[in-house]
Amino acid sequence: MGGLRKRDWWMAFLFVLPVVVILLAISIFPMVYSFYLSLCRWDIGMGGQRTFIGAGNYLRLFSDARFFNSLKNTGRVLLFGVGTQFALGLSLALLLNRSFRGRSLVVTLFLLPMMISPVVVGCIWKIIYHYQYGPLNYLLNLLGIRSVNWLGSGSISPYSIVLADIWEWTPFMVITLLAGLQAIPDDLYEAARVDGANRWQIFSGVVFPLLRPVVIIAILIRVMDAFKIFDLVVLLTMGGPGQASESVAFYNYLTGFKYFSMGYASAMSYVQLAVIVAIANVFLRSFKGRAVV
Amino acid sequence: MRRRDGVTVAVFVGIFVLLAVALAPFAWNVLTSFKEKGEYFTYPPVFVPSSFDLEHYVRGLHLGGAKGIKDSFIIASLTTLLAIALGSLAAYSLSRFRIGGDNFAFWILSVRMMPPIASVLPLFLFFRFLRWLDTYQALIFTYALVNIPFAVWMMKGFFDELPVELEEAALIDGCGRLGAFVRVALPLVAPGLVATALFCFMFSWNEFLFALILGRSRVVPITVNIAGLIGGHEILWAEISAVSIVASVPIIVLAILLQRYLVRGLTLGAVKG
């Protein structure tokens, strides 16, 4: 639209000003403050004083077995959760990538688990997982399998969270990958078929390379979300039994708002922020490439 | 063509089975909401409840469900208004004048990606200082942290798609810059504006972590109310299911309305769908 005239510049500036002011007030200033806190010991529950301890909180993280356990649980959601969501989501997207009557209704129905609040997802699965009265153990018993202690066993409860997460978020992969598939022009399939390619060759040689940017975006978004997993942990297990199924965000929440160690909690949240910033950078870079449909 | 038919049948059977697995948990939730205590605390489980009256819905709404829905509605609507109003102004500026350049736009988007647990701690202390804990405005501004960057980014996408010639024509006709924005650009992106608003509403309605920490007794959004019922001494499954269904219905309606824009919204505009 040509160069900016002076009056236009003022308007452009005034238009972004409120957003900048609000974002600075509720994100940048608090973040700077919490960085300072992460260098302090401050246990507000005890009415304790704030004392500057430098990198002490960060060093403490490295020897905190409970923190590493929560990292492991979060990693499990990333690896098994997002991995399964991608595999299932891609298969389902390929199945749905054809025209049939009632298709848009079917797609909408598939999306429901992702649209409702994670809190509701937690409620639904808490009932399903109930050891004595839940329908899942009942079905297993019908098949001759002994009841599984889904939420009460430390070796199983982290996987129960992963399973509920898979149910909730597979739809995201379905709808995103489906959009990617539909952006691939039909004549490319035709051309490949005329050249004598079989189904697998069409998929690996034509479809997947074209789908790749969408796959990367979808996985990055899910990884960022899964890294923040909190709601399902609260609703399903409260991190239990013991500390077996705590996620990083959940342990961070306990540190800040149950034990009131504000300094240590700030340090923990800064570590997560660093991880997210790293992933977000990759995401934004693929955005700038504009390679996406 | 015989083999093709076989494949087609297999595909539809596969779709049907997966759909059943995806929907069964919902069905169980709906059935539970009608069951009496003796029907959900029993083995083997009762599938069909003895009566389908709305008794548990009424009781669930009395147990804080109605208040939760009111609070969530107030917070979600006001934060949506705030995000849409300020977000579309900024988006227009970014799209038409490229103010601040790409890096500025990406900075705004990056705020959206901050882990909530990282921002809630300083915000908690900040609002405690302002004596804003347990107030609507604390949650309205906190959700703006998520919704404003989202609205800016989505609306920027919609403005980018609008040909500038229309506004240029308006300028030549003697319309001011502001007039070109209000009378030409804004009406043309109205569908995108509505979609963005519905997304903001949905995010805020479903949110849990901020609500849990910044609300307390006077402000209890629906998600916190449901979680509270689950943590209670005696777990009233039918009431919990009933409230969770009431809380989900508006969202499901929005999701259906949004279908065309769903991919775009959920991928922050990265995949246009």
Side-chain angles (χ1 to χ4, degrees), chain A residues 63-223:
Chain A
S63 53
D64 186 348
R66 193 169 169 187
F67 178 67
F68 280 101
N69 179 55
S70 71
L71 264 181
K72 204 173 81 189
N73 284 329
T74 308
R76 217 185 312 244
V77 178
L78 292 184
L79 200 67
F80 297 118
V82 179
T84 313
Q85 285 154 21
F86 175 69
L88 260 179
L90 181 60
S91 326
L92 201 46
L94 288 169
L95 289 182
L96 290 170
N97 188 29
R98 64 193 70 223
S99 55
F100 56 88
R101 220 158 36 140
R103 179 171 172 281
S104 83
L105 176 69
V106 169
V107 172
T108 309
L109 288 175
F110 267 119
L111 298 187
L112 292 184
M114 148 185 85
M115 305 316 304
I116 60 174
S117 171
V119 168
V120 174
V121 174
C123 284
I124 292 178
W125 283 87
K126 184 129 187 170
I127 303 178
I128 291 176
Y129 281 144
H130 195 285
Y131 182 65
Q132 273 176 291
Y133 308 123
L136 188 54
N137 275 342
Y138 173 68
L139 285 180
L140 291 180
N141 294 346
L142 283 185
L143 297 172
I145 302 168
R146 285 233 316 265
S147 289
V148 175
N149 198 350
W150 294 103
L151 302 176
S153 147
S155 54
I156 295 172
S157 65
Y159 290 99
S160 304
I161 292 173
V162 171
L163 185 63
D165 193 69
I166 291 171
W167 180 77
E168 183 182 1
W169 288 110
T170 299
F172 172 79
M173 289 290 186
V174 174
I175 187 172
T176 312
L177 298 176
L178 189 56
L181 285 174
Q182 305 221 296
I184 298 172
D186 283 340
D187 32 335
L188 279 180
Y189 291 96
E190 281 308 315
R193 216 167 288 144
V194 170
D195 289 345
N198 61 31
R199 271 167 191 275
W200 171 249
Q201 286 168 328
I202 293 178
F203 177 74
S204 61
V206 179
V207 176
F208 200 75
L210 288 171
L211 197 61
R212 221 176 53 190
V214 179
V215 167
I216 291 171
I217 293 282
I219 289 182
L220 285 176
I221 289 182
R222 273 307 303 141
V223 164

Side-chain angles (χ1 to χ4, degrees), chain A residues 4-22, chain B residues 82 84-94 97-100 104 108 148 152 177-178 181:
Chain A
L4 275 182
R5 280 175 298 149
K6 201 163 184 188
R7 241 187 70 222
D8 285 351
W9 189 88
W10 271 106
M11 196 184 97
F13 175 73
L14 287 177
F15 271 25
V16 288
L17 190 62
V19 163
V20 172
V21 169
I22 290 191
Chain B
L82 185 72
I84 287 297
L86 302 184
S88 43
L89 286 177
Y92 188 72
S93 183
L94 286 172
F97 307 114
R98 314 192 53 78
I99 189 163
F104 177 59
I108 290 182
I148 287 182
V152 170
R177 260 275 159 226
L178 196 63
F181 168 65

Side-chain angles (χ1 to χ4, degrees), chain A residues 1 4 8 12 26 30 37 108 115 117 123 127 132-133 141 167 230 266 272 276 283 287-288 292-293, chain B residues 22 42-43 89 93 97 106 113 117 121-122 125 141 153 177 202 206 208-209 226 237 251 259 263 270 272:
Chain A
M1 194 172 268
L4 275 182
D8 285 351
I26 56 180
L37 279 187
T108 309
M115 305 316 304
S117 171
C123 284
I127 303 178
Q132 273 176 291
Y133 308 123
N141 294 346
W167 180 77
F230 175 77
S266 301
Q272 290 167 76
I276 291 289
F283 175 82
F287 219 137
K288 277 184 186 165
V292 181
V293 263
Chain B
T42 186
Y43 188 92
L89 286 177
S93 183
F97 307 114
F106 281 119
M113 296 173 178
I117 190 71
L121 204 122
L125 297 169
F141 278 102
W153 198 255
R177 260 275 159 226
M202 213 155 71
N206 284 345
F208 178 58
L209 187 132
I226 293 174
W237 281 126
I251 296 305
Q259 207 176 22
V263 174
K272 292 278 191 301

Side-chain angles (χ1 to χ4, degrees), chain B residues 54-66 225 229 238-240 242-243:
Chain B
L54 294 175
E55 168 198 357
H56 305 297
Y57 285 77
V58 174
R59 271 224 292 165
L61 289 177
H62 277 302
L63 287 170
N225 173 251
L229 289 176
E239 282 76 5
I240 293 168
V243 175

Side-chain angles (χ1 to χ4, degrees), chain B residues 63-263:
Chain B
L63 287 170
K67 158 96 171 113
I69 285 171
K70 187 189 113 193
D71 286 359
S72 286
F73 185 78
I74 292 173
I75 294 165
S77 326
L78 292 178
T79 193
T80 299
L81 275 179
L82 185 72
I84 287 297
L86 302 184
S88 43
L89 286 177
Y92 188 72
S93 183
L94 286 172
S95 169
R96 287 295 181 262
F97 307 114
R98 314 192 53 78
I99 189 163
D102 268 1
N103 286 330
F104 177 59
F106 281 119
W107 171 69
I108 290 182
L109 182 61
S110 71
V111 174
R112 170 70 169 65
M113 296 173 178
M114 283 204 325
I117 190 71
S119 41
V120 75
L121 204 122
L123 281 175
F124 173 82
L125 297 169
F126 183 46
F127 290 138
R128 195 174 72 136
F129 171 74
L130 294 177
R131 302 193 177 283
W132 272 18
L133 289 179
D134 207 14
T135 62
Y136 289 131
Q137 63 266 33
L139 279 170
I140 290 168
F141 278 102
T142 304
Y143 289 159
L145 191 66
V146 177
N147 287 331
I148 287 182
F150 175 79
V152 170
W153 198 255
M154 286 288 280
M155 292 311 296
K156 178 178 177 298
F158 289 116
F159 284 125
D160 283 345
E161 284 166 17
L162 211 65
V164 287
E165 286 76 19
L166 293 166
E167 288 149 71
E168 278 167 352
L171 285 177
I172 290 164
D173 289 347
C175 218
R177 260 275 159 226
L178 196 63
F181 168 65
V182 176
R183 282 192 231 128
V184 181
L186 216 45
L188 286 171
V189 294
L193 195 74
V194 172
T196 307
L198 296 184
F199 267 111
C200 291
F201 188 89
M202 213 155 71
F203 292 146
S204 320
W205 183 275
N206 284 345
E207 206 280 333
F208 178 58
L209 187 132
F210 288 129
L212 177 70
I213 292 169
L214 300 177
R216 194 157 303 170
S217 52
R218 276 176 297 154
V219 176
V220 186
I222 188 67
T223 48
V224 180
N225 173 251
I226 293 174
L229 289 176
I230 284 220
H233 289 296
E234 158 198 40
I235 300 190
L236 303 164
W237 281 126
E239 282 76 5
I240 293 168
S241 291
V243 175
S244 74
I245 290 165
V246 174
S248 305
V249 167
I251 296 305
I252 291 173
V253 172
L254 291 189
I256 292 169
L257 293 176
L258 275 174
Q259 207 176 22
R260 248 190 75 205
Y261 297 99
L262 221 42
V263 174

Side-chain angles (χ1 to χ4, degrees), chain A residues 226-244:
Chain A
F227 189 71
K228 305 170 191 166
I229 187 165
F230 175 77
D231 305 17
L232 283 180
V233 179
V234 173
L235 269 288
L236 288 176
T237 65
M238 266 297 182
Q243 301 155 2

